[in-house]
Amino acid sequence: METKYNDIIFKEKVVSLFEQNRAQIGANDTTRMSKERDVAFKQFKKVGFPNKKMEAWRNTNLKDVFAYNYNIQFSPADEKPELIEAFQCNIHNFDTQTITLYNGWYLSEDKHLITLPNGTIIGSLAQAIKEYPELVQKHYNKYTNIEENGLIALNTAFSQDGIFIYVPDNVKTYKTIQMVNILDKEDNLFIQNRNLIIVGKNAKLTILHCDDSYNYSRSFTNTVTEVFIDEGAEVDHYKLQNLNDNSTLINTTYFHQELQSKLTTNSITLNGGLIRNKINVVLNGEGGEANVFGVYLVDKEQHIDSQVFVDHAKANCNSDELFKGIIDDNATAVFNGHILVRKDSQHTNASQTNRNVQLTDKATVYTKPFLEIYADDVKCNHGATIGQLDEEALFYIKSRGIGDYDARLLLLYAFAAEVINKISIATLRESIDDLVKKRLRGELAICDQCVLQCKDQENTYEFKIDISKI
Amino acid sequence: MLKIKNLHVSINGKQILRGLNLEVNRGEVHAIMGPNGTGKSTLANVIAGKPGYHIDKGEIIFKGKNILELPPEVRAQEGIFLGFQYPVEIPGVSMTNFMRTAVNEHRKYKGLDPMPAGEFLKLMKEKQQLVEIHAKLTNRSVNEGFSGGEKKKNEIFQMAMLEPELAILDETDSGLDIDALKIVANGVNKLKTKDNATIVITHYQRLLDYIVPDFVHILFDGKIVKSGGKELALILEEKGYEWIKDESPN
C-alpha cells in the first residue's frame, strides 16, 4: 500500500486548485506575467514543497504544517472586519500611512490605489497591474528566483494581490508607510500574497511591515516581497511579527540595490508558531550599503528561522548583518548567513554576526555563518555564539542590590537592545523597546501590537519568556 | 560592624583563605595589603557574595548577622558595597537606568517608596561632581567604552549613590594615573563618616598616601600575618613583600 505524505497530499490539492482556478487567478495578468505564472507553476509541480533533505531547509521542517488542511481564497471575502475605522497604528506620536492586507487581500473602503501629493503611489498590487502595467511589469518577478525553492514558485503561480508601493525619483517620503497583514478567519487559511516596492533614483522610503494575528486560528502564509532600490535611493524597512502560536509564516524578501543605494532592514520577531524570514540582498551597484538586522524572542514550541543571503555583485559595497535571539522552553532558532563576494567585487566590507541566548537545555539553536569570497582585496568577518548570560555581569548588577530576576531581565533586555537601538525612528524605537520589555516580562498579549484597537477581546493571550530558568 | 572569624575558602578544591580573622568597626578605614595571589580579591568577593567560592569553615558576621547564606543583592541592600577591580561592561544598560533600579531596590528593602525622578536626577548630578564624572558618562551604557580611570571613578560614583555602611574597594588604584588616583581617593574621603567603614585592598602603598588607613593588615598565604597602623604600609614599601615571606612562619 502506498502511503502519501501530507506535503504530497497538499501539493496535489494546490496543483488541482490552480488548474481549476487558472483563469480567475490570472485575470489581471499581462501576457508576460501570465507566461511566468505558468512557468512557475510547472516549477512547483516539479519540485513540490521544500523538505528536510534540502540543505537550506535542514533545520526547518514543514511536515507539521501540512498535517492540517488549509483553504485558499481566490477572491477577497465579502465580509469586511467591523473595526475598519479603527485601523490605525497604535504606536503613539507616530504618523504613518497605513495600508492593510486582510487575509492576504488589499483592504480599503473605496480606492484600491492612492497617489500621495508627492507622487508616491500606494495600494493594491492587483489594481496596480491594471492601472500601471508597464511600471509593474518592469520589476515584477525580476528579482525573485523561482528555483530557490518550491514556495517561491508557488507564490509566483498563485499570487493575486498584495501591496504595491512606487516612490518616484527624488521623492522623499518622510511619512512612514505601514503595511499590515492581518489574519482573521475562523477556518485555516493558506495565504500567498505578493508585494512589490519600487523606489526611484535618490528617493527615500520608510516602511513598517507588520504581521499580526487577530485570532487563534491556524494559518499558513507564504509571502514574497520584491524591493527595487534605484541609484542613490534609501530604504528603511522594519518587520514586526507578532503572530499566534498556530501560524506559519514563510516570508521571503528580495532586495535589489543599485549604485550608492542604502538599505536598512530590521526583523523583529516577538511571537509566532513557525516563522522563516528569508532575506536576499543583491548589491548590484558600487557604493551600496546593506544593513540587515534582526532580533527574535521565542519560547514554547516556536520555531524561528532567519536566512540571509547577501550578494556583493559589485565592488566597493558594505554590508552589515546582526541577528540576536533569546530562545526559551523547547523553542528552536535557526540562522543561516551567506555572504557571497564575487570575483570583481574588490574593497568589499562585509560583517555577519549571530548571537543567541539559550535559556533552557531543551531550547535548540542552529547557527551557520558562511562566507564565500572570490575577490582578494576585501574585509569580511563573521561570528556566531550560543550562550547563557554573562555570570560576571550578573554578579556586578546584583552586587548593587538588584535582585536575580531584575538582573537577568536587565541583561536580556540589554542583549536585545543592541538591535533595537539600530531603529532610526525614535518613536518607533521606543514602542518596539516597550514591546520587547513586555515580552520579556511576560506581559505581551497578542493584541498589544495589533493595529485593531479591540482591547475588549475575550481571550487574553500572553507570551512569556521565563527568566527564572536561567 | 564586620567580624570575620576563622574563614577558610576554596575554589575548585584549591584552598585560598586559610583561617582569616578580621574585625572592622564603624568610622574605621582598613587597608589590606599583600602580594598577588594571596587571596585579597577572594576575600572581597566572598564578603560581597560572589558565587563560585566554597566556604569550608568560619563565618562572616555583618551587623550581628551571619551573611554567608544571603544572596549578593541582599548583602548590598544590607549596606555592603564592592568596588570592583575590573568593573564589568554592560552594553545596553544605561548608567541612569542601572542606578535608578539599584537605588530603588535599596529603598524598597528599607520600606521606602521609589525615589521621584526629579529627585533622583538631582542626586545623580550631585554625586557625579564628587568624582568629577561628566554627565555624558551617565548617559552611556554601564562602563561600556569607559577608560580605566573612568571605570574606577564610576565605582566610587555608584558607592556615593548607594551610601553603603561598609565599602570594600578592590585594587581601586590599579591602572590609575596620579590625577585620577587623587580624584578617586578624594571621593572616598568625602564619603567617610563616623558611621561607615571602608576596606581598601591594594598592592601598593601609593593609594594610602591619599586614603589614610587606621589599620593596615598584611595578607599572606590566605591569612592575615601582620596588622598594625599606617606605618606598617611604609615598612612594607621599604622592605618589600620578601620581608613578610621571611617573617612568615611557613
Side-chain angles (χ1 to χ4, degrees):
Chain A
M1 201 181 91
E2 193 189 351
T3 316
K4 277 189 184 172
Y5 290 103
N6 289 328
D7 61 328
I8 304 290
I9 298 168
F10 193 57
K11 180 189 165 187
E12 285 169 359
K13 181 182 168 177
V14 293
V15 164
S16 84
L17 276 172
F18 181 86
E19 284 160 350
Q20 286 159 31
N21 297 282
R22 175 67 184 85
Q24 189 181 3
I25 292 170
N28 297 325
D29 285 359
T30 63
T31 322
R32 199 201 90 198
M33 285 169 76
S34 180
K35 254 186 219 154
E36 287 180 357
R37 199 182 283 284
D38 290 329
V39 171
F41 177 66
K42 251 184 221 147
Q43 173 69 16
F44 173 74
K45 241 173 129 173
K46 193 172 98 190
V47 300
F49 288 105
N51 60 56
K52 285 198 77 163
K53 284 178 203 141
M54 298 161 70
E55 181 62 27
W57 292 82
R58 224 154 54 103
N59 300 312
T60 293
N61 196 347
L62 295 177
K63 196 181 90 225
D64 294 340
V65 177
F66 298 121
Y68 299 89
N69 200 12
Y70 297 89
N71 295 316
I72 301 179
Q73 294 178 330
F74 291 98
S75 61
D78 291 333
E79 83 268 28
K80 288 272 170 10
E82 288 167 23
L83 288 154
I84 188 159
E85 314 79 39
F87 272 52
Q88 54 174 315
C89 184
N90 70 341
I91 296 173
H92 303 297
N93 306 315
F94 186 44
D95 191 14
T96 62
Q97 179 83 41
T98 304
I99 39 182
T100 308
L101 288 183
Y102 186 67
N103 296 331
W105 295 91
Y106 185 79
L107 181 74
S108 96
E109 284 190 281
D110 41 32
K111 292 181 86 171
H112 280 70
L113 219 45
I114 316 160
T115 304
L116 301 180
N118 62 19
T120 300
I121 303 166
I122 56 176
S124 144
L125 178 65
Q127 188 66 22
I129 296 168
K130 281 190 234 167
E131 287 185 38
Y132 306 99
E134 300 276 290
L135 181 62
V136 172
Q137 196 165 263
K138 200 172 155 200
H139 297 283
Y140 182 85
N141 209 27
K142 281 284 168 69
Y143 315 111
T144 48
N145 174 13
I146 58 162
E147 283 169 17
E148 185 177 325
N149 64 58
L151 283 163
I152 309 299
L154 189 66
N155 178 287
T156 307
F158 269 81
S159 84
Q160 287 177 271
D161 201 2
I163 298 289
F164 174 77
I165 301 174
Y166 167 68
V167 187
D169 291 354
N170 304 311
V171 168
K172 318 240 187 267
T173 49
Y174 290 107
K175 205 171 188 176
T176 298
I177 293 177
Q178 188 183 18
M179 299 161 55
V180 186
N181 291 342
I182 292 172
L183 303 181
D184 171 27
K185 196 84 174 71
E186 289 310 316
D187 46 353
N188 302 345
L189 268 185
F190 181 35
I191 292 167
Q192 303 203 70
N193 58 295
R194 178 79 166 226
N195 308 309
L196 176 63
I197 297 166
I198 304 161
V199 185
K201 290 188 174 73
N202 303 311
K204 188 179 184 325
L205 175 67
T206 305
I207 327 163
L208 173 62
H209 183 162
C210 303
D211 284 295
D212 291 279
S213 297
Y214 179 39
N215 60 24
Y216 311 105
S217 298
R218 196 164 291 281
S219 64
F220 178 19
T221 308
N222 174 30
T223 302
V224 174
T225 304
E226 291 176 275
V227 184
F228 174 76
I229 310 171
D230 210 340
E231 285 177 30
E234 197 180 329
V235 170
D236 247 1
H237 175 254
Y238 302 98
K239 224 161 28 199
L240 195 51
Q241 298 166 331
N242 193 21
L243 292 162
N244 71 30
D245 290 348
N246 294 324
S247 33
T248 299
L249 171 64
I250 311 290
N251 206 329
T252 311
T253 311
Y254 294 90
F255 293 101
H256 185 95
Q257 290 186 246
E258 292 295 347
L259 198 76
Q260 291 178 334
S261 62
K262 185 183 168 185
L263 163 72
T264 301
T265 174
N266 202 330
S267 309
I268 299 127
T269 307
L270 298 170
N271 205 80
L274 186 158
I275 294 184
R276 179 182 165 106
N277 287 316
K278 171 72 199 277
I279 298 158
N280 295 282
V281 179
V282 180
L283 286 156
N284 196 46
E286 291 199 20
E289 181 184 333
N291 302 303
V292 186
F293 306 132
V295 60
Y296 40 90
L297 312 171
V298 285
D299 58 6
K300 289 171 274 183
E301 310 292 324
Q302 295 169 9
H303 183 101
I304 174 79
D305 181 350
S306 309
Q307 304 267 331
V308 184
F309 173 57
V310 178
D311 179 356
H312 280 265
K314 293 281 152 62
N316 296 309
C317 291
N318 295 334
S319 71
D320 185 13
E321 253 171 71
L322 175 67
F323 277 74
K324 297 183 93 171
I326 298 170
I327 301 98
D328 195 7
D329 299 337
N330 298 308
T332 308
V334 183
F335 176 84
N336 269 317
H338 179 185
I339 295 174
L340 168 64
V341 182
R342 293 181 192 266
K343 196 169 137 279
D344 295 323
S345 299
Q346 300 296 1
H347 308 119
T348 288
N349 243 317
S351 158
Q352 184 189 75
T353 309
N354 174 232
R355 301 202 185 291
N356 298 282
V357 176
Q358 189 188 0
L359 299 188
T360 69
D361 291 343
K362 286 178 178 157
T364 313
V365 179
Y366 302 97
T367 176
K368 194 179 130 198
F370 179 48
L371 303 180
E372 190 183 356
I373 303 169
Y374 298 103
D376 52 14
D377 187 10
V378 299
K379 247 166 77 181
C380 296
N381 67 69
H382 67 77
T385 56
I386 304 167
Q388 281 80 40
L389 289 179
D390 179 356
E391 289 295 329
E392 287 289 320
L394 262 182
F395 173 60
Y396 188 76
I397 297 172
K398 288 187 202 176
S399 78
R400 300 311 187 230
I402 299 171
D404 191 64
Y405 177 87
D406 288 322
R408 288 171 194 276
L409 190 66
L410 263 179
L411 283 181
L412 278 184
Y413 164 70
F415 175 80
E418 195 190 347
V419 177
I420 309 298
N421 288 340
K422 291 181 182 289
I423 298 172
S424 58
I425 308 162
T427 45
L428 180 64
R429 185 175 58 241
E430 284 156 19
S431 296
I432 289 178
D433 206 70
D434 195 45
L435 289 171
V436 169
K437 282 180 188 159
K438 274 185 168 173
R439 174 72 166 103
L440 290 174
R441 286 197 299 256
E443 293 165 8
L444 183 71
I446 201 166
C447 306
D448 261 312
Q449 173 231 332
C450 173
V451 290
L452 293 165
Q453 304 271 307
C454 46
K455 293 291 182 202
D456 55 338
Q457 186 136 354
E458 281 169 28
N459 302 308
T460 50
Y461 193 89
E462 285 179 354
F463 310 128
K464 189 172 173 66
I465 281 177
D466 188 354
I467 291 158
S468 63
K469 276 183 288 199
I470 28 167
Chain B
M1 179 168 51
L2 178 75
K3 276 198 187 103
I4 300 176
K5 291 182 200 163
N6 193 28
L7 188 64
H8 287 72
V9 175
S10 57
I11 185 163
N12 299 327
K14 191 179 169 239
Q15 280 193 309
I16 311 282
L17 298 181
R18 310 154 187 258
L20 185 140
N21 294 291
L22 181 69
E23 186 167 346
V24 177
N25 298 307
R26 293 183 191 275
E28 294 176 351
V29 175
H30 289 244
I32 294 176
M33 302 183 72
N36 287 330
T38 53
K40 297 194 301 292
S41 287
T42 297
L43 175 63
N45 289 337
V46 167
I47 299 173
K50 185 173 182 175
Y53 295 93
H54 190 264
I55 314 294
D56 302 315
K57 223 194 267 181
E59 51 188 13
I60 302 178
I61 311 289
F62 181 64
K63 297 193 292 185
K65 265 188 264 183
N66 189 347
I67 57 168
L68 283 173
E69 294 301 316
L70 296 179
E73 61 271 25
V74 178
R75 298 186 200 197
Q77 290 158 356
E78 280 284 341
I80 294 173
F81 177 87
L82 173 62
F84 281 57
Q85 182 178 4
Y86 304 108
V88 183
E89 297 197 11
I90 313 176
V93 177
S94 78
M95 265 313 293
T96 310
N97 194 12
F98 179 49
M99 273 297 102
R100 185 163 40 223
T101 312
V103 165
N104 286 334
E105 286 297 309
H106 276 75
R107 288 174 68 92
K108 196 158 96 189
Y109 190 72
K110 293 190 181 89
L112 299 169
D113 286 335
M115 188 179 275
E119 200 178 311
F120 175 78
L121 290 174
K122 221 176 96 189
L123 183 72
M124 286 260 292
K125 225 174 193 174
E126 184 192 309
K127 302 295 185 188
Q128 266 165 244
Q129 284 165 356
L130 193 78
V131 281
E132 299 175 32
I133 281 187
H134 303 295
K136 276 193 309 223
L137 284 188
T138 54
N139 292 334
R140 297 206 336 230
S141 291
V142 178
N143 294 321
E144 193 189 23
F146 286 26
S147 70
E150 285 168 344
K151 280 182 184 166
K152 295 300 173 76
K153 282 192 208 172
N154 193 20
E155 294 295 289
I156 307 304
F157 164 67
Q158 293 174 44
M159 173 180 160
M161 290 294 292
L162 299 172
E163 297 180 328
E165 290 173 70
L166 174 68
I168 305 152
L169 305 176
D170 188 8
E171 306 258 0
T172 295
D173 50 335
S174 67
L176 288 188
D177 61 34
I178 197 75
D179 292 331
L181 183 73
K182 279 183 190 167
I183 292 169
V184 164
N186 190 27
V188 173
N189 290 332
K190 279 188 189 157
L191 292 170
K192 192 185 158 183
T193 69
K194 63 176 180 22
D195 294 319
N196 63 22
T198 309
I199 299 173
V200 180
I201 291 173
T202 182
H203 188 78
Y204 303 103
Q205 196 270 336
R206 188 177 73 147
L207 177 67
L208 305 181
D209 287 340
Y210 302 98
I211 301 174
V212 182
D214 301 301
F215 301 95
V216 174
H217 309 278
I218 296 167
L219 184 60
F220 185 72
D221 208 15
K223 268 188 281 213
I224 287 174
V225 292
K226 221 172 186 56
S227 295
K230 61 176 185 257
E231 68 288 344
L232 187 56
L234 295 169
I235 301 172
L236 199 62
E237 181 80 354
E238 192 189 321
K239 298 193 173 175
Y241 285 115
E242 286 305 310
W243 167 63
I244 289 300
K245 285 180 193 165
D246 297 341
E247 295 263 300
S248 177
N250 304 333

Short mmCIF file of all heavy atoms in Angstrom, two decimals, chain A residues 433-463:
data_model
loop_
_atom_site.label_atom_id
_atom_site.label_comp_id
_atom_site.label_asym_id
_atom_site.label_seq_id
_atom_site.Cartn_x
_atom_site.Cartn_y
_atom_site.Cartn_z
N ASP A 433 10.86 48.95 21.75
CA ASP A 433 11.55 48.77 23.01
C ASP A 433 10.58 48.32 24.10
O ASP A 433 10.82 47.38 24.85
CB ASP A 433 12.09 50.16 23.37
CG ASP A 433 13.29 50.09 24.25
OD1 ASP A 433 14.32 49.67 23.73
OD2 ASP A 433 13.17 50.46 25.43
N ASP A 434 9.47 48.99 24.13
CA ASP A 434 8.43 48.70 25.11
C ASP A 434 7.84 47.31 24.89
O ASP A 434 7.62 46.55 25.84
CB ASP A 434 7.35 49.78 24.95
CG ASP A 434 6.42 49.81 26.13
OD1 ASP A 434 6.94 49.76 27.25
OD2 ASP A 434 5.20 49.88 25.92
N LEU A 435 7.61 46.96 23.62
CA LEU A 435 7.08 45.64 23.30
C LEU A 435 8.05 44.54 23.73
O LEU A 435 7.64 43.51 24.25
CB LEU A 435 6.80 45.53 21.79
CG LEU A 435 5.63 46.34 21.24
CD1 LEU A 435 5.62 46.30 19.72
CD2 LEU A 435 4.30 45.81 21.78
N VAL A 436 9.33 44.78 23.50
CA VAL A 436 10.34 43.78 23.87
C VAL A 436 10.39 43.63 25.39
O VAL A 436 10.43 42.51 25.92
CB VAL A 436 11.73 44.16 23.30
CG1 VAL A 436 12.83 43.31 23.89
CG2 VAL A 436 11.72 44.04 21.78
N LYS A 437 10.33 44.74 26.11
CA LYS A 437 10.33 44.66 27.57
C LYS A 437 9.11 43.88 28.06
O LYS A 437 9.21 43.04 28.95
CB LYS A 437 10.32 46.06 28.18
CG LYS A 437 11.68 46.73 28.15
CD LYS A 437 11.58 48.12 28.77
CE LYS A 437 12.88 48.87 28.56
NZ LYS A 437 12.70 50.31 28.67
N LYS A 438 7.97 44.19 27.47
CA LYS A 438 6.74 43.48 27.85
C LYS A 438 6.88 41.99 27.55
O LYS A 438 6.47 41.16 28.35
CB LYS A 438 5.56 44.02 27.03
CG LYS A 438 4.90 45.24 27.63
CD LYS A 438 3.69 45.57 26.80
CE LYS A 438 2.79 46.59 27.45
NZ LYS A 438 1.71 46.99 26.54
N ARG A 439 7.43 41.70 26.41
CA ARG A 439 7.61 40.30 26.00
C ARG A 439 8.49 39.57 27.02
O ARG A 439 8.19 38.46 27.43
CB ARG A 439 8.24 40.26 24.61
CG ARG A 439 8.61 38.87 24.11
CD ARG A 439 7.38 38.07 23.74
NE ARG A 439 7.70 36.88 22.97
CZ ARG A 439 7.71 35.66 23.47
NH1 ARG A 439 7.45 35.46 24.73
NH2 ARG A 439 8.00 34.62 22.70
N LEU A 440 9.57 40.22 27.44
CA LEU A 440 10.49 39.59 28.37
C LEU A 440 9.86 39.42 29.75
O LEU A 440 10.15 38.47 30.46
CB LEU A 440 11.79 40.38 28.48
CG LEU A 440 12.69 40.34 27.24
CD1 LEU A 440 13.87 41.26 27.40
CD2 LEU A 440 13.18 38.92 26.97
N ARG A 441 8.99 40.36 30.10
CA ARG A 441 8.35 40.27 31.42
C ARG A 441 7.13 39.37 31.38
O ARG A 441 6.48 39.16 32.39
CB ARG A 441 7.94 41.65 31.91
CG ARG A 441 9.10 42.51 32.38
CD ARG A 441 8.60 43.66 33.22
NE ARG A 441 7.70 44.51 32.47
CZ ARG A 441 8.03 45.70 31.97
NH1 ARG A 441 9.24 46.16 32.16
NH2 ARG A 441 7.17 46.41 31.30
N GLY A 442 6.78 38.86 30.18
CA GLY A 442 5.61 38.00 30.06
C GLY A 442 4.32 38.79 30.07
O GLY A 442 3.26 38.27 30.38
N GLU A 443 4.38 40.06 29.72
CA GLU A 443 3.17 40.89 29.74
C GLU A 443 2.64 41.20 28.36
O GLU A 443 1.66 41.91 28.21
CB GLU A 443 3.48 42.23 30.45
CG GLU A 443 3.78 42.07 31.92
CD GLU A 443 4.42 43.31 32.51
OE1 GLU A 443 4.50 44.33 31.83
OE2 GLU A 443 4.84 43.23 33.68
N LEU A 444 3.31 40.67 27.35
CA LEU A 444 2.87 40.99 25.99
C LEU A 444 1.69 40.10 25.62
O LEU A 444 1.75 38.89 25.76
CB LEU A 444 4.01 40.78 24.99
CG LEU A 444 3.69 41.16 23.55
CD1 LEU A 444 3.58 42.66 23.40
CD2 LEU A 444 4.74 40.63 22.60
N ALA A 445 0.65 40.71 25.15
CA ALA A 445 -0.51 39.94 24.70
C ALA A 445 -0.57 40.04 23.19
O ALA A 445 0.08 40.87 22.58
CB ALA A 445 -1.78 40.50 25.33
N ILE A 446 -1.37 39.19 22.60
CA ILE A 446 -1.47 39.17 21.15
C ILE A 446 -1.98 40.51 20.62
O ILE A 446 -1.64 40.94 19.53
CB ILE A 446 -2.35 37.99 20.71
CG1 ILE A 446 -2.04 37.63 19.25
CG2 ILE A 446 -3.82 38.26 20.91
CD1 ILE A 446 -2.59 36.31 18.85
N CYS A 447 -2.76 41.20 21.43
CA CYS A 447 -3.36 42.46 20.97
C CYS A 447 -2.42 43.64 21.05
O CYS A 447 -2.70 44.70 20.53
CB CYS A 447 -4.56 42.81 21.83
SG CYS A 447 -5.75 41.52 21.93
N ASP A 448 -1.32 43.45 21.75
CA ASP A 448 -0.53 44.62 22.09
C ASP A 448 -0.03 45.41 20.90
O ASP A 448 0.07 46.62 20.94
CB ASP A 448 0.65 44.23 22.97
CG ASP A 448 0.34 44.49 24.42
OD1 ASP A 448 -0.14 45.59 24.70
OD2 ASP A 448 0.54 43.60 25.24
N GLN A 449 0.31 44.69 19.86
CA GLN A 449 0.93 45.39 18.76
C GLN A 449 -0.03 45.49 17.59
O GLN A 449 0.19 46.22 16.64
CB GLN A 449 2.20 44.63 18.41
CG GLN A 449 2.93 45.08 17.20
CD GLN A 449 3.20 43.90 16.31
OE1 GLN A 449 3.31 42.79 16.77
NE2 GLN A 449 3.26 44.14 15.03
N CYS A 450 -1.13 44.75 17.70
CA CYS A 450 -2.08 44.71 16.60
C CYS A 450 -2.70 46.09 16.39
O CYS A 450 -2.94 46.83 17.33
CB CYS A 450 -3.16 43.70 16.93
SG CYS A 450 -4.51 43.66 15.78
N VAL A 451 -2.93 46.42 15.15
CA VAL A 451 -3.48 47.73 14.84
C VAL A 451 -4.96 47.83 15.20
O VAL A 451 -5.51 48.91 15.29
CB VAL A 451 -3.31 48.08 13.35
CG1 VAL A 451 -1.87 48.33 13.03
CG2 VAL A 451 -3.91 47.02 12.46
N LEU A 452 -5.59 46.69 15.34
CA LEU A 452 -7.01 46.72 15.71
C LEU A 452 -7.11 47.02 17.19
O LEU A 452 -6.60 46.28 18.00
CB LEU A 452 -7.65 45.36 15.42
CG LEU A 452 -7.74 45.00 13.96
CD1 LEU A 452 -8.02 43.53 13.82
CD2 LEU A 452 -8.80 45.80 13.27
N GLN A 453 -7.74 48.11 17.49
CA GLN A 453 -7.75 48.54 18.89
C GLN A 453 -8.89 47.89 19.68
O GLN A 453 -9.70 48.57 20.29
CB GLN A 453 -7.90 50.06 18.96
CG GLN A 453 -6.84 50.80 18.18
CD GLN A 453 -5.62 51.07 19.03
OE1 GLN A 453 -5.73 51.63 20.10
NE2 GLN A 453 -4.46 50.68 18.56
N CYS A 454 -8.96 46.60 19.63
CA CYS A 454 -10.09 45.93 20.29
C CYS A 454 -9.63 45.38 21.62
O CYS A 454 -9.35 44.22 21.76
CB CYS A 454 -10.64 44.83 19.42
SG CYS A 454 -9.35 43.81 18.73
N LYS A 455 -9.50 46.26 22.57
CA LYS A 455 -8.96 45.87 23.86
C LYS A 455 -9.91 44.99 24.66
O LYS A 455 -9.54 44.39 25.65
CB LYS A 455 -8.60 47.12 24.68
CG LYS A 455 -7.46 47.91 24.10
CD LYS A 455 -6.14 47.16 24.22
CE LYS A 455 -5.01 48.00 23.65
NZ LYS A 455 -3.85 47.20 23.25
N ASP A 456 -11.16 44.92 24.19
CA ASP A 456 -12.14 44.13 24.95
C ASP A 456 -12.15 42.66 24.52
O ASP A 456 -13.04 41.91 24.87
CB ASP A 456 -13.54 44.73 24.79
CG ASP A 456 -13.91 44.85 23.32
OD1 ASP A 456 -12.98 44.87 22.49
OD2 ASP A 456 -15.11 44.92 23.02
N GLN A 457 -11.14 42.29 23.77
CA GLN A 457 -11.07 40.91 23.30
C GLN A 457 -11.18 39.93 24.48
O GLN A 457 -10.56 40.10 25.51
CB GLN A 457 -9.73 40.70 22.58
CG GLN A 457 -9.65 39.34 21.96
CD GLN A 457 -9.07 39.41 20.57
OE1 GLN A 457 -8.83 40.48 20.04
NE2 GLN A 457 -8.85 38.27 19.99
N GLU A 458 -11.98 38.88 24.27
CA GLU A 458 -12.25 37.96 25.38
C GLU A 458 -10.99 37.23 25.84
O GLU A 458 -10.70 37.12 27.01
CB GLU A 458 -13.30 36.93 24.95
CG GLU A 458 -14.70 37.50 25.02
CD GLU A 458 -15.69 36.57 24.35
OE1 GLU A 458 -15.43 35.35 24.33
OE2 GLU A 458 -16.71 37.07 23.86
N ASN A 459 -10.29 36.69 24.88
CA ASN A 459 -9.12 35.91 25.25
C ASN A 459 -7.94 36.83 25.51
O ASN A 459 -7.61 37.64 24.67
CB ASN A 459 -8.72 34.98 24.12
CG ASN A 459 -9.83 34.05 23.74
OD1 ASN A 459 -10.39 33.39 24.58
ND2 ASN A 459 -10.17 34.04 22.47
N THR A 460 -7.35 36.66 26.64
CA THR A 460 -6.06 37.33 26.79
C THR A 460 -5.02 36.25 26.59
O THR A 460 -5.07 35.18 27.17
CB THR A 460 -5.88 37.97 28.17
OG1 THR A 460 -6.21 36.99 29.14
CG2 THR A 460 -6.76 39.20 28.32
N TYR A 461 -4.13 36.53 25.72
CA TYR A 461 -3.20 35.53 25.24
C TYR A 461 -1.83 36.11 25.44
O TYR A 461 -1.46 37.09 24.80
CB TYR A 461 -3.51 35.32 23.76
CG TYR A 461 -2.90 34.12 23.12
CD1 TYR A 461 -3.55 32.90 23.14
CD2 TYR A 461 -1.68 34.23 22.47
CE1 TYR A 461 -3.00 31.80 22.52
CE2 TYR A 461 -1.13 33.14 21.85
CZ TYR A 461 -1.79 31.93 21.87
OH TYR A 461 -1.25 30.85 21.24
N GLU A 462 -1.11 35.55 26.38
CA GLU A 462 0.16 36.17 26.72
C GLU A 462 1.35 35.31 26.32
O GLU A 462 1.29 34.10 26.32
CB GLU A 462 0.21 36.48 28.22
CG GLU A 462 -0.65 37.68 28.52
CD GLU A 462 -0.67 38.05 29.97
OE1 GLU A 462 -0.11 37.31 30.79
OE2 GLU A 462 -1.27 39.10 30.29
N PHE A 463 2.41 35.99 25.99
CA PHE A 463 3.64 35.31 25.59
C PHE A 463 4.64 35.51 26.72
O PHE A 463 4.89 36.62 27.13
CB PHE A 463 4.18 35.92 24.31
CG PHE A 463 3.16 36.04 23.22
CD1 PHE A 463 2.96 37.24 22.58
CD2 PHE A 463 2.40 34.94 22.85
CE1 PHE A 463 2.02 37.36 21.57
CE2 PHE A 463 1.46 35.04 21.85
CZ PHE A 463 1.26 36.25 21.20
#
